[in-house]
Amino acid sequence: MKNYLVFDVGGTFTKYALMDENAAILEKGKVPTPDYRTHTKRDFYEILDSVAGKYQPQVSGIAVSMPGMLDNRTGYCVTAGLLPYLCGSSVADELSGRYHLPVSVENDGKCAALAEYWKGSLKDCLNGAVVVLGSGVAGGIILNGQLYRGNHFTAGEYSFICTKDDSPRETDSYWGMSGGAQGLARAVAKYTGEDWERYDGISIFAKANAGDEEVLKGLKEFTDFLAVQIYNLNIFLDLDIIAIGGGISQQPLLLEYLNQSIEDLAANNPLQDISPYIPKPKITNCRFYNDANLIGALYHYINSKP
């Protein structure tokens, strides 16, 4: 059985795993991702060298998940999220030349969708989507049993969806700023009166699960907003299921509140007076959380390399 080295590049840490072709993780760890404000592409590649040097003799190839607008066929990065030193780089070719191994590169949100389609909550579905609630809102779309990337490889980049037509010049008018973990913190802070920057998902749900009424009001406002975006996504694509991922999705209370928000939206939809059927999205949690991008990157590699 062949083994592979898989990287999941994030803005703060780069996770890595030695994996077999069935996605079993044999070893894993993480290293700091060089901050773009003080580091260069060379620094980034040297960090990868420190990992690849250990595993290179054991693996048949390298798979990479990373943020940005990426040509999955060539590994060329038009954009790279919080890694601007990789913009304009053919990362797959450069790493392949560096390690003398086949290398594939795919967008992180799309990797999450591929992981769920391969072995998770979207397995065997024909049309589905993943919505990953992180620092922004990422994801991927499966249509007719295939990952849909779009003409410019940006399908599923939900963070760029404008949600307020009256203030398109404000960053808060885009789903990535208002719909991720930061958006939840802002919603909760409206009711508690505290500085939203003091909150993280762990502290918010500790209070929510303890029954803090003001925090629960903020959570409901957040899931009401999220429900509208998921409703719209489902109307556009008529999906079998939408899987919710990201750190805060591991909290059962989030899915409970989101389901209620979707029910409320459907019940109060005035178009019911015109049509007896209003499409209602079916949602579930992602199966994979911290390992989703690793699994999806491997799936992409296996299906793109000889």
Side-chain angles (χ1 to χ4, degrees):
M1 182 176 290
K2 293 180 179 180
N3 292 335
Y4 303 91
L5 177 59
V6 185
F7 289 104
D8 174 18
V9 182
T12 304
F13 289 102
T14 294
K15 294 183 287 187
Y16 63 87
L18 177 66
M19 303 173 69
D20 69 21
E21 57 198 30
N22 293 319
I25 295 176
L26 309 176
E27 296 179 26
K28 68 186 213 179
K30 65 181 181 180
V31 291
T33 302
D35 186 279
Y36 73 92
R37 288 177 284 261
T38 55
H39 293 85
T40 65
K41 179 169 72 171
R42 178 178 177 179
D43 298 323
F44 173 73
Y45 281 165
E46 287 178 352
I47 288 290
L48 298 191
D49 289 348
S50 69
V51 177
K54 176 181 177 182
Y55 295 105
Q56 194 171 350
Q58 308 175 49
V59 301
S60 300
I62 296 174
V64 180
S65 161
M66 59 177 287
M69 178 178 168
L70 314 171
D71 186 334
N72 65 288
R73 301 163 301 185
T74 64
Y76 179 79
C77 299
V78 180
T79 67
L82 292 177
L83 309 173
Y85 46 67
L86 295 180
C87 293
S89 300
S90 296
V91 172
D93 288 342
E94 291 174 7
L95 293 181
S96 182
R98 202 173 185 95
Y99 304 130
H100 308 291
L101 287 167
V103 177
S104 70
V105 175
E106 180 58 281
N107 169 269
D108 50 5
K110 292 177 175 61
C111 283
L114 287 172
E116 295 300 323
Y117 180 68
W118 186 19
K119 292 179 176 288
S121 296
L122 301 186
K123 184 175 174 59
D124 298 326
C125 86
L126 188 62
N127 301 301
V130 164
V131 175
V132 181
L133 307 175
S135 53
V137 184
I141 299 166
I142 302 293
L143 293 180
N144 297 317
Q146 299 288 327
L147 178 67
Y148 180 67
R149 294 182 173 88
N151 291 339
H152 303 94
F153 310 100
T154 59
E157 291 292 307
Y158 309 131
S159 282
F160 294 100
I161 291 175
C162 186
T163 59
K164 297 178 183 177
D165 62 357
D166 60 340
S167 53
R169 295 186 178 182
E170 302 293 330
T171 56
D172 285 350
S173 297
Y174 293 83
W175 193 5
M177 296 295 105
S178 53
Q182 177 178 299
L184 173 60
R186 289 178 182 273
V188 167
K190 282 176 57 178
Y191 293 91
T192 64
E194 297 182 348
D195 182 356
W196 70 268
E197 293 183 332
R198 295 178 55 191
Y199 286 122
D200 58 23
I202 294 173
S203 62
I204 288 173
F205 280 98
K207 294 179 182 232
N209 286 315
D212 186 311
E213 291 187 4
E214 300 307 310
V215 172
L216 290 173
K217 289 177 184 176
L219 176 60
K220 184 61 164 61
E221 179 174 311
F222 174 77
T223 59
D224 283 349
F225 172 81
L226 181 57
V228 171
Q229 312 315 315
I230 290 174
Y231 167 85
N232 289 338
L233 181 62
N234 188 58
I235 290 293
F236 290 145
L237 299 174
D238 189 15
L239 300 170
D240 303 323
I241 193 164
I242 300 171
I244 311 300
I248 62 176
S249 73
Q250 298 182 55
Q251 295 285 339
L253 196 61
L254 179 77
L255 195 67
E256 176 186 329
Y257 266 61
L258 180 55
N259 268 312
Q260 185 58 57
S261 292
I262 288 173
E263 291 294 335
D264 292 345
L265 180 61
N268 295 311
N269 192 324
L271 296 181
Q272 290 180 104
D273 296 337
I274 302 170
S275 171
Y277 174 69
I278 301 295
K280 186 167 64 175
K282 179 182 178 182
I283 62 170
T284 188
N285 277 344
C286 288
R287 176 179 173 185
F288 304 109
Y289 295 104
N290 292 333
D291 295 332
N293 294 351
L294 295 169
I295 294 169
L298 177 62
Y299 180 84
H300 170 61
Y301 177 95
I302 290 172
N303 287 276
S304 64
K305 296 296 179 184

